[in-house]
Amino acid sequence: MTELDLIPVWISLKTAATATIITFCLGIAAARWMAGSSFRGKSIIDALFILPLVLPPTVVGFGLLLLFGRNGPIGQVLMQFDRNVIFSWSATVIASTVVAFPLMYQATLAALEQIQPNIEDAARTLGASEWVVFHKITIPLAWPGIAAGTILAFARSLGEFGATLMLAGNIPGKTQTIPLAIYFAVEAGHNSQAVYWVLAILMISLASIAALNYWKKRQYSGNGSKFTGWEEVPSHAGHKN
Amino acid sequence: MLDIKIKKSLPEFRLDVSFSVEHEILAIVGPSGCGKTMTLKCIAGLFPPDEGLIALNKKVLFDSRTGINLASRQREVGFVFQNYALFPHMNVFDNVAFGIHQLNQFGNKVIRERVSNLMHKMHLGKYEKRYPGQLSGGQQQRVAIARALVTEPQVLLLDEPFSALDSIVKESLQDELLDLQKYFAGHVILVTHNLAEAYKLSSRIAVYDAGRILQWDDKKAIIDQPANAGVARLTGVKNLFNGVIEEAGSTYTLINIAELRGLFRAESKSSVKFIKGQQVGVGIRSDHIKLTEESGKNTVPVQVKKIVDEISGNTYHFSAVAANGLETKLEAKIPHRQMEKINIGASCYLHLPPNNLVIMSR
């Protein structure tokens, strides 16, 4: 019986947090772009954004391998800078980000489409710049959807297995996240070791959901107000998948 | 003075209008989907017209020839939306104060004072801390008007501001708007599909249809002397006929109306001169038609077809026989107190008073 190894926990947290931050920014940017425009081929791009969610993670991982591999387009560019992401910690972040992105994107898009365009127009006529409209009106009104998307994206990156294994491999101390560690521990017959990690991931998941729920509730409904408008926003927006 | 001359292609029609507003309330009246709201959005900078010019006094807001297109925030135009469009995550005070904060000119104390003053004037003082969702429709619309006025814009655009309110609230809010000039000296454009509302609140009316202005005139002229049958129909003239000018005198006109099988005299106030033999439209409002028992000048024999009982009086639907033997429908509104005993199927005469009979070009 080995001592409790916390390194996978640390790698998982670092990976999920980084992937969530990247997804948060990319997801909101992509959703805002899609919500505010209509062009030919919009539905194709929309489908492309959601694709990682419907594809099996191993397919996503394989696709990423092709992209980032030595002969892949991105891999070639990285080679110029003498870099290689395959089987590195960055690969775990890339895999998690790609897989979590559709959840963030979808939840945010649904929330943005829920906002009456008149409300943003009203702010514009009152002298607000596009940036003020975005961060004073759009983001607060879409907040429940954004928060839900963030929770889901974090949970998804924390649990990411297939694409990570394909792109980052299972290198203990480097790319071995909790899900990978659990799988290989069980495979090697170290069940008690696996249980520790299962408990660890359970605690992280519960804590993050609790924290984000608190965050979601606190934001903009603080100082004792009774703003109840959010009930109209479907908080299940991102759950349907 | 606010000058508007814009063209814009829309899926259903082409918006092509030109008018101006001069420290007054101008009402734009027309059926839904005729380009009224689009006009306001073009003025506010929320939609660019394809071509044209929008100028506020000497300041050009939009000019397709020089490529000027000021952003909404630079136009000093207040916009009140049909569905209020309040910020649901801000309380009433923050909603009203939003515009002043964007000016970046005043400290919190001045903002507080200006917002409170305006809210007090608009009877909103006690709702400061409430959220839009906790207010009634009328209160929300008052907040929306206060929010638009607090930055002291040059222009106030009202897009069907009363259409979602019940009639009691609507009337009191309309009365408040009539007092608006006490604290607002700019130009006001009111978009509505309700002619009574337009007449009550405005000094001039522009009648829209399918992207064009059919008539732009003093409100009284719109009612008394519609320019054509389209305006007459949109402003609620129920009785419209085709006629031929028989005699055009200096104070009166004689028209032959085949649909009513007779010669009718009109004492028009119109400056337009008609000539003998000209094809014209003739109209009369249903509340101007009088019921009589005997034949006489400007009368037409009719039969009662239908009676509709309403608060203000009865609406009678009649039919007359046209020259070609077909049936002509007429409608008259008669107040209860003037009501005579008359039943469906009864025959009587309708008198069309010469000074209420309007002649329009076709």
Side-chain angles (χ1 to χ4, degrees):
Chain A
M1 183 67 235
T2 51
E3 202 181 313
L4 176 59
D5 184 3
L6 282 175
I7 288 173
V9 178
W10 171 237
I11 292 174
S12 265
L13 276 178
K14 218 165 55 163
T15 303
T18 313
T20 305
I21 290 165
I22 297 170
T23 308
F24 184 85
C25 302
L26 287 181
I28 292 177
R32 177 156 194 245
W33 174 50
M34 291 298 273
S37 61
S38 55
F39 53 90
R40 284 179 106 194
K42 186 182 169 182
S43 53
I44 295 172
I45 295 189
D46 185 64
L48 225 70
F49 282 162
I50 296 170
L51 203 61
L53 189 73
V54 286
L55 287 176
T58 45
V59 174
V60 175
F62 186 65
L64 289 174
L65 259 182
L66 291 181
L67 274 178
F68 287 92
R70 274 171 205 285
N71 299 318
I74 301 176
Q76 296 254 304
V77 174
L78 290 171
M79 289 279 277
Q80 306 278 316
F81 300 95
D82 206 19
R83 291 198 180 233
N84 175 34
V85 293
I86 308 266
F87 299 130
S88 71
W89 177 70
S90 314
T92 65
V93 175
I94 291 169
S96 290
T97 304
V98 169
V99 167
F101 171 82
L103 294 168
M104 184 69 205
Y105 163 73
Q106 266 215 313
T108 308
L109 184 63
L112 290 181
E113 281 174 345
Q114 206 78 26
I115 300 173
Q116 285 175 17
N118 278 352
I119 293 182
E120 290 167 311
D121 280 347
R124 288 185 187 106
T125 62
L126 289 167
S129 63
E130 285 307 303
W131 169 244
V132 171
V133 172
F134 183 64
H135 91 273
K136 285 262 163 76
I137 309 294
T138 313
I139 291 288
L141 290 179
W143 190 250
I146 292 173
T150 311
I151 298 168
L152 291 167
F154 181 79
R156 185 68 188 83
S157 12
L158 197 65
E160 173 42 34
F161 179 83
T164 309
L165 186 59
M166 299 281 286
L167 195 68
N170 175 42
I171 307 167
K174 201 170 163 201
T175 67
Q176 193 187 56
T177 57
I178 303 178
L180 293 169
I182 292 171
Y183 177 79
F184 287 101
V186 173
E187 201 187 42
H190 300 148
N191 273 6
S192 55
Q193 180 79 65
V195 168
Y196 280 121
W197 286 325
V198 167
L199 289 176
I201 209 158
L202 208 65
M203 269 156 53
I204 296 167
S205 302
L206 288 176
S208 61
I209 288 170
L212 282 162
N213 269 335
Y214 175 71
W215 181 31
K216 173 175 151 182
K217 230 180 266 163
R218 229 193 61 151
Q219 200 93 358
Y220 302 107
S221 64
N223 57 41
S225 75
K226 288 174 202 137
F227 169 49
T228 52
W230 285 343
E231 277 155 27
E232 290 157 32
V233 181
S235 58
H236 60 269
H239 290 283
K240 60 187 170 207
N241 294 292
Chain B
M1 176 133 110
L2 175 65
D3 272 305
I4 296 122
K5 192 172 167 59
I6 50 172
K7 289 180 183 170
K8 185 169 179 66
S9 286
L10 297 166
E12 316 252 312
F13 54 84
R14 194 172 150 77
L15 182 67
D16 183 352
V17 294
S18 133
F19 60 95
S20 64
V21 194
E22 177 76 73
H23 295 288
E24 58 176 338
I25 301 183
L26 171 82
I28 300 179
V29 182
S32 36
C34 68
K36 297 175 301 211
T37 299
M38 186 51 78
T39 304
L40 293 194
K41 290 194 167 172
C42 287
I43 296 169
L46 299 171
F47 269 104
D50 295 340
E51 55 183 290
L53 176 80
I54 303 171
L56 177 56
N57 302 325
K58 294 226 165 77
K59 182 172 154 188
V60 175
L61 305 184
F62 177 87
D63 188 348
S64 55
R65 276 189 300 176
T66 53
I68 294 173
N69 184 14
L70 292 190
S72 266
R73 63 176 185 280
Q74 299 165 315
R75 292 198 177 193
E76 294 178 85
V77 167
F79 204 123
V80 174
F81 294 85
Q82 182 174 8
N83 58 359
Y84 325 129
L86 295 177
F87 307 132
H89 58 299
M90 296 182 192
N91 65 25
V92 168
F93 184 90
D94 292 337
N95 261 281
V96 176
F98 186 87
I100 300 198
H101 279 293
Q102 308 311 319
L103 298 175
N104 285 325
Q105 284 173 10
F106 306 102
N108 279 334
K109 207 175 149 218
V110 179
I111 292 177
R112 171 111 237 138
E113 214 175 271
R114 264 177 74 171
V115 174
S116 296
N117 273 346
L118 182 63
M119 299 223 306
H120 187 74
K121 267 191 241 170
M122 296 198 68
H123 316 290
L124 287 165
K126 58 186 168 190
Y127 305 122
E128 263 190 26
K129 291 271 177 276
R130 294 224 200 150
Y131 282 78
Q134 298 169 304
L135 300 177
S136 70
Q139 291 163 345
Q140 288 190 47
Q141 195 56 292
R142 252 192 272 140
V143 175
I145 293 170
R147 183 178 69 171
L149 288 178
V150 78
T151 52
E152 295 173 356
Q154 302 276 318
V155 182
L156 183 64
L157 306 174
L158 303 162
D159 186 11
E160 306 253 9
F162 310 114
S163 65
L165 304 171
D166 65 61
S167 58
I168 296 171
V169 177
K170 188 188 286 188
E171 271 180 33
S172 71
L173 207 55
Q174 285 174 348
D175 290 344
E176 278 179 45
L177 199 67
L178 281 172
D179 294 335
L180 185 73
Q181 275 115 334
K182 281 183 198 158
Y183 42 87
F184 182 68
H187 319 285
V188 184
I189 302 180
L190 166 76
V191 155
T192 175
H193 58 260
N194 182 333
L195 184 75
E197 188 175 295
Y199 192 85
K200 179 173 168 183
L201 296 174
S202 70
S203 53
R204 280 198 284 178
I205 295 176
V207 180
Y208 263 52
D209 192 31
R212 289 176 309 123
I213 293 181
L214 298 182
Q215 191 174 0
W216 167 44
D217 217 331
D218 282 349
K219 62 175 175 183
K220 219 163 157 23
I222 298 275
I223 301 302
D224 293 342
Q225 188 52 57
N228 52 50
V231 174
R233 206 171 291 118
L234 287 169
T235 54
V237 177
K238 291 285 163 56
N239 305 292
L240 285 167
F241 316 103
N242 293 321
V244 179
I245 301 284
E246 192 73 30
E247 192 185 328
S250 55
T251 56
Y252 68 94
T253 317
L254 282 180
I255 322 126
N256 187 358
I257 303 174
E259 286 158 283
L260 302 178
R261 231 171 25 174
L263 215 54
F264 288 81
R265 184 188 169 95
E267 283 158 17
S268 165
K269 289 143 283 198
S270 165
S271 54
V272 185
K273 281 280 158 262
F274 297 97
I275 48 165
K276 186 172 157 52
Q278 193 181 343
Q279 301 260 346
V280 292
V282 186
I284 185 163
R285 294 186 167 274
S286 55
D287 45 3
H288 287 150
I289 293 187
K290 306 239 162 21
L291 256 170
T292 64
E293 273 160 29
E294 57 220 66
S295 167
K297 277 184 177 165
N298 267 32
T299 60
V300 52
V302 290
Q303 200 176 28
V304 181
K305 284 286 176 192
K306 192 172 154 193
I307 304 171
V308 181
D309 194 5
E310 289 174 64
I311 295 177
S312 51
N314 284 2
T315 301
Y316 287 84
H317 297 261
F318 302 97
S319 73
V321 182
N324 56 9
L326 292 175
E327 197 177 74
T328 302
K329 290 195 170 105
L330 287 110
E331 196 181 309
K333 211 167 208 166
I334 292 154
H336 281 305
R337 61 193 147 73
Q338 291 173 22
M339 213 179 78
E340 292 130 68
K341 279 253 178 256
I342 188 160
N343 298 314
I344 292 173
S347 291
C348 59
Y349 291 90
L350 293 182
H351 176 58
L352 315 182
N355 51 351
N356 295 129
L357 212 54
V358 181
I359 311 171
M360 297 159 280
S361 52
R362 276 168 72 187

